[in-house]
Amino acid sequence: MVFSSSVFFMAFLPITLLLYFLIPERFLKVRNLWLLIASLIFYGWGEPKYIAVMAFSILFNYVMGRIVAKSRPLLILCIAGNLAILGFFKYTDFVIETVNAVSGGGLGLLNIALPIGISFYTFQTMSYIIDVYRGKVLPQRDFIAFAAYVTLFPQLIAGPIVRYSDVAEMLVGRKTNLDQIAEGVRRFIVGFGKKVLLANQVYVIWNEITLMPVSEISTAAAWLGALAFTFQIYFDFSGYSDMAIGLGKIFGFDYLENFNYPYISRSITEFWRRWHMSLSSWFKEYVYIPLGGNRKGLPRQILNIAVVWALTGLWHGASWNFVAWGMYFGVILILEKLWILKWLEKCPAPVGHLYSLILIVLGWVIFALTDFGQMREYMQVMFGGSAAFVDGNFKYLAWSRIWVLIACTIGSTPLVKLVCGRIAGTLSGVKNGEVILGVLETVVLLSILALSIAFLVSGSYNPFLYFRF
């Protein structure tokens, strides 16, 4: 089940909310139990057989959390167990394909379907075990509370990655109020609009261009397609994060932010402080720092960065293009640390923005195209290896979708937030300003919701990109 689906809107969410708030707030354990049941229904809607995998992960990590304490062997065993589950489902066929390619062998693939969201909930359970071992949090003795943490449907499928330490107190002592619920509803609607009105619509450009033979794509069209995917993955993933954060607020959970306008960055270092922040902080906390971080000299730090980014790429998918994507950014980050950041600090801001955007767009091409031959040909076209710079396909796609390209450009900057803040500031000095502001906000949000539902009902493309990770 996905947030942007009719069954979620018309059945699952209303029933879940109704029963949740019918349970008195003082019966928090019962509320947690209902959230657990609802989350398992949500997760198992399309593939119920993988509930067993999640159930084993929950039970395994709950038991290990109770006994791991200061036992390093048990910690290693638990981490190995979690990685083994993730590795089996996500990387077995990848390893077989790689062995076949290197050796010329003919080992048969197992064709293992990837359980949705396994990368996210595995990282969450690992953070719990490691933090218990470190003494940062106490082991959770309430099995229902722990299971609810792992399965909570708002962020179960595609994050953000929620560390146990961030929600431990909320699992056993949260309260909700109307202001928090209203903020959650607002955040959910904004995320819903990002997904349906922007990500789904700009996807059409990327899809149309990549369906063409590369020899028929002009240079301008290749860049337009890459830009469209750049917008699509941002509004798709940040839209999901907004919906997850909004739903979390409605149920009394405050999840950390996952995006902070990454496309306004002036360097790739800044970009990765703004993009998928929960993943970046996870790798920093549980991989980079334990490897030694920057404490063991520059050569070791460079090695640590390379390891982290190879793993970051591999986390995103069982394909060598993801490893190449991770190493691409790892190399850039190393170069920035050594030389480029010093140069960027002296350059005008637009130079840094342009530098970053070009590298980000190229990075998304590596990410999106799993076939290295197609990737190479596509990039050759981007840099002039085409019979035409501009063609009819470019003109048609650019003009027919100009509205969504403009909306995506504006939406990927803080401009809308600044304008809304300015309007709110102006109305604060006007009689009945708060009432007027409330009416305006309600009208805008209801318009976004109505348009999104209309597009959702009439459209055919709707999956979230990060579901496969």
Side-chain angles (χ1 to χ4, degrees):
M1 193 184 303
V2 296
F3 293 162
S4 51
S5 66
S6 299
V7 68
F8 178 82
F9 259 102
M10 306 304 176
F12 177 84
L13 186 59
I15 293 172
T16 300
L17 289 172
L18 176 63
L19 293 180
Y20 181 83
F21 285 107
L22 281 177
I23 300 168
E25 197 170 62
R26 65 181 181 276
F27 298 125
L28 189 58
K29 289 187 177 182
V30 182
R31 283 189 165 188
N32 284 344
L33 177 60
W34 171 237
L35 277 181
L36 171 60
I37 294 170
S39 296
L40 290 174
I41 294 171
F42 176 87
Y43 185 77
W45 187 260
E47 295 179 316
K49 61 184 178 181
Y50 288 121
I51 290 180
V53 179
M54 176 181 285
F56 176 81
S57 178
I58 292 169
L59 182 60
F60 175 70
N61 286 283
Y62 172 76
V63 172
M64 294 302 293
R66 296 288 300 272
I67 62 176
V68 68
K70 293 293 183 179
S71 173
R72 188 173 182 82
L74 285 178
L75 173 67
I76 294 171
L77 173 63
C78 189
I79 292 175
N82 279 292
L83 292 178
I85 296 171
L86 178 62
F88 175 75
F89 285 99
K90 192 167 184 175
Y91 301 107
T92 300
D93 282 347
F94 171 61
V95 172
I96 293 173
E97 289 175 343
T98 302
V99 170
N100 286 342
V102 173
S103 67
L107 295 175
L109 299 179
L110 300 183
N111 294 316
I112 302 170
L114 179 66
I116 293 173
I118 190 171
S119 296
F120 287 92
Y121 71 73
T122 299
F123 270 34
Q124 291 189 181
T125 54
M126 287 173 62
S127 73
Y128 164 73
I129 291 297
I130 294 170
D131 285 348
V132 169
Y133 171 78
R134 291 174 173 176
K136 186 175 181 179
V137 297
L138 295 174
Q140 177 55 259
R141 297 182 177 277
D142 185 338
F143 179 78
I144 299 299
F146 179 75
Y149 157 68
V150 178
T151 63
L152 277 175
F153 75 88
Q155 44 70 230
L156 170 63
I157 303 297
I161 298 171
V162 177
R163 289 188 243 179
Y164 177 79
S165 58
D166 293 329
V167 296
E169 294 183 5
M170 300 172 205
L171 285 167
V172 296
R174 67 187 180 278
K175 294 183 181 295
T176 54
N177 56 59
L178 289 178
D179 288 340
Q180 188 179 18
I181 293 171
E183 174 59 25
V185 171
R186 286 193 292 268
R187 190 67 180 269
F188 181 88
I189 292 175
V190 169
F192 187 45
K194 280 184 177 182
K195 165 60 180 169
V196 178
L197 300 181
L198 298 181
N200 285 7
Q201 307 312 312
V202 80
Y203 156 80
V204 173
I205 299 174
W206 171 246
N207 186 55
E208 288 287 335
I209 290 174
T210 52
L211 286 177
M212 301 176 192
V214 178
S215 59
E216 297 179 11
I217 301 175
S218 67
T219 297
W223 278 98
L224 177 64
L227 181 63
F229 183 80
T230 297
F231 283 138
Q232 181 199 357
I233 195 166
Y234 170 64
F235 287 107
D236 185 283
F237 194 16
S238 70
Y240 186 97
S241 292
D242 285 341
M243 285 188 273
I245 291 169
L247 286 172
K249 285 186 178 294
I250 293 172
F251 291 109
F253 293 93
D254 288 319
Y255 299 146
L256 298 179
E257 294 295 331
N258 210 23
F259 291 88
N260 183 24
Y261 303 106
Y263 292 160
I264 68 170
S265 302
R266 294 176 58 184
S267 67
I268 299 303
T269 300
E270 182 183 356
F271 171 74
W272 280 106
R273 290 176 183 150
R274 294 173 175 269
W275 177 277
H276 202 348
M277 294 185 288
S278 63
L279 180 66
S280 299
S281 64
W282 196 98
F283 271 108
K284 180 180 179 180
E285 178 74 18
Y286 300 108
V287 180
Y288 179 71
I289 292 176
L291 285 175
N294 60 358
R295 304 187 306 274
K296 297 185 178 181
L298 184 59
R300 179 62 180 271
Q301 183 183 10
I302 291 173
L303 175 62
N304 293 342
I305 293 173
V307 170
V308 165
W309 283 97
L311 293 175
T312 300
L314 196 59
W315 179 89
H316 280 83
S319 176
W320 283 109
N321 74 296
F322 292 118
V323 178
W325 173 78
M327 293 307 298
Y328 166 82
F329 278 115
V331 169
I332 294 172
L333 290 168
I334 291 170
L335 292 176
E336 285 192 351
K337 180 170 186 59
L338 295 177
W339 302 292
I340 298 176
L341 281 179
K342 298 175 183 177
W343 173 75
L344 287 174
E345 290 173 357
K346 301 175 183 178
C347 293
V351 174
H353 291 309
L354 182 62
Y355 153 86
S356 299
L357 283 174
I358 290 173
L359 292 178
I360 290 167
V361 170
L362 292 175
W364 288 131
V365 173
I366 299 172
F367 186 93
L369 301 177
T370 57
D371 182 88
F372 280 101
Q374 183 187 11
M375 184 195 305
R376 183 186 67 255
E377 293 175 357
Y378 194 94
M379 286 194 173
Q380 286 174 346
V381 171
M382 291 178 73
F383 289 98
S386 172
F389 181 77
V390 177
D391 63 357
N393 288 324
F394 166 77
K395 294 177 182 177
Y396 169 74
L397 289 170
W399 284 111
S400 65
R401 296 281 166 171
I402 189 67
W403 66 271
V404 74
L405 290 170
I406 293 173
C408 286
T409 301
I410 295 172
S412 58
T413 72
L415 182 60
V416 174
K417 184 177 181 180
L418 291 173
V419 170
C420 290
R422 184 67 60 87
I423 293 172
T426 302
L427 289 176
S428 65
V430 176
K431 184 179 180 180
N432 297 322
E434 289 187 7
V435 176
I436 296 171
L437 182 63
V439 171
L440 284 174
E441 184 181 61
T442 302
V443 169
V444 170
L445 289 173
L446 289 178
S447 298
I448 292 173
L449 182 61
L451 277 172
S452 299
I453 292 174
F455 272 79
L456 180 65
V457 171
S458 62
S460 58
Y461 175 81
N462 196 42
F464 285 95
L465 292 177
Y466 264 70
F467 272 22
R468 59 184 172 134
F469 308 132

